Amino acid sequence: FEKDDRIGGLMRYGVPDFKMEKIHIDRRVAQMEAEGTRFRTSTEIGKDIKWDDLRARYDAVLICTGSTVPRDLPIPGRRYRGIHFAMPYLTQSNKVAAGDTVERQITAKDKHVIIIGGGDTGSDCLGTALRQGAKSVTTLAIGVQPSEQRDPKSQPWPTHPMLFDVSSSHEEGGERKFLASSVEFLADEDEHVTSLRLARTQIMPDGTRGPAPGTEEEIPADLVLLSMGFTGPQRDTLGQLEHIGFTPRGTVARNDQFATAVDGVFVAGDAGRGQSLVVWAIAEGRAAAAAIDTYLTGSTELPAPVTARTLALRA
């Protein structure tokens, strides 16, 4: 069951075509349909179908709703028009690329664009804005610019190094600013954003960060895209599941076998792991399938079943 009109989740509507053509999703969906998988789109569990009805109909349910609640930026002027979360912007662009008509589409054409957040989603926004004909695109990151080489002391092999990343979108254009703390949005008489006041990030001895006094500047902004990560899955409908629990990080709580506190209900992917890469979603989906097979039949012949804890340690 999928609440969107097409199958694919963030790979469908969050990743632009210039990064991954959707033919790869379509081919895999066709393969899964041929194998017997039934897809039901435009169906939101908790609204179109109640959770109790779903559980009464099926012996096992796997929650794979992703981590979709965006992290907000509560600074003065946040309510002004022209300030949007990244995902609606990317989703609309992907729908248009698929041939759909989107009324009042958020577009970067002929605008000064600011992207707040320097991760993969911000990079996708950058590439999209450049293709839409933005006047300028500036990406802001609150932290320091990562090193171009691994530090053997703080990031010894085989830990994953935090290195300076230059994506294909960054190579195409735009400006990147590090140690940039957003202070306030400014707007015109119609309350549409016109600029952003920012300051150099000051890192305190205890690790907290904030704007350094006396370093403020203003940069033009006709469109602001908030791309600062996600805080967990949507809880409004999940709350219908009695005894369902959440971790301090906001993800759905589970044990090593991907099982939640609700009997017969499992969770995999970003909904249980937190925002991550698609390779982890694939790995967890396969491992959760083995766990559900064991739950239903007492054993499994699915290949290489691993636990949620093992996958977490591998990360």
Side-chain angles (χ1 to χ4, degrees), residues 98-217:
D100 295 350
T101 298
V102 176
E103 296 183 1
R104 296 186 295 276
Q105 180 189 0
I106 305 168
T107 178
K109 182 176 176 57
D110 297 327
K111 295 177 180 177
H112 294 292
V113 180
I114 292 178
I115 301 168
I116 301 179
D120 289 338
T121 303
S123 172
D124 293 341
C125 289
L126 168 62
T128 301
L130 292 174
R131 283 161 176 76
Q132 290 177 344
K135 284 184 180 179
S136 68
V137 185
T138 304
T139 301
L140 306 179
I142 193 172
V144 300
Q145 178 176 325
S147 171
E148 296 183 359
Q149 297 181 340
R150 179 196 295 270
D151 183 350
K153 293 184 178 180
S154 62
Q155 303 178 64
W157 189 90
T159 60
H160 180 71
M162 298 297 294
L163 301 178
F164 181 60
D165 178 48
V166 179
S167 70
S168 59
S169 294
H170 295 136
E171 293 176 343
E172 293 173 0
E175 181 182 3
R176 303 173 75 177
K177 288 180 177 288
F178 291 88
L179 287 175
S181 292
S182 301
V183 176
E184 179 183 10
F185 294 112
L186 305 176
D188 57 20
E189 294 180 355
D190 295 327
E191 296 194 339
H192 192 287
V193 66
T194 58
S195 61
L196 169 65
R197 181 176 293 132
L198 55 85
R200 181 176 177 81
T201 303
Q202 180 176 252
I203 302 177
M204 306 299 182
D206 61 357
T208 59
R209 299 177 295 188
T215 63
E216 295 186 356
E217 63 174 311

Side-chain angles (χ1 to χ4, degrees), residues 69-73 85 226-231 275:
V69 178
R71 182 172 287 107
D72 208 341
L73 181 62
F85 288 116
L226 304 181
S227 175
M228 303 180 297
F230 304 87
T231 61
Q275 64 181 85

Side-chain angles (χ1 to χ4, degrees), residues 66-81:
S67 177
T68 58
V69 178
R71 182 172 287 107
D72 208 341
L73 181 62
I75 63 174
R78 171 63 181 87
R79 63 181 179 84
Y80 293 143
R81 294 184 297 114

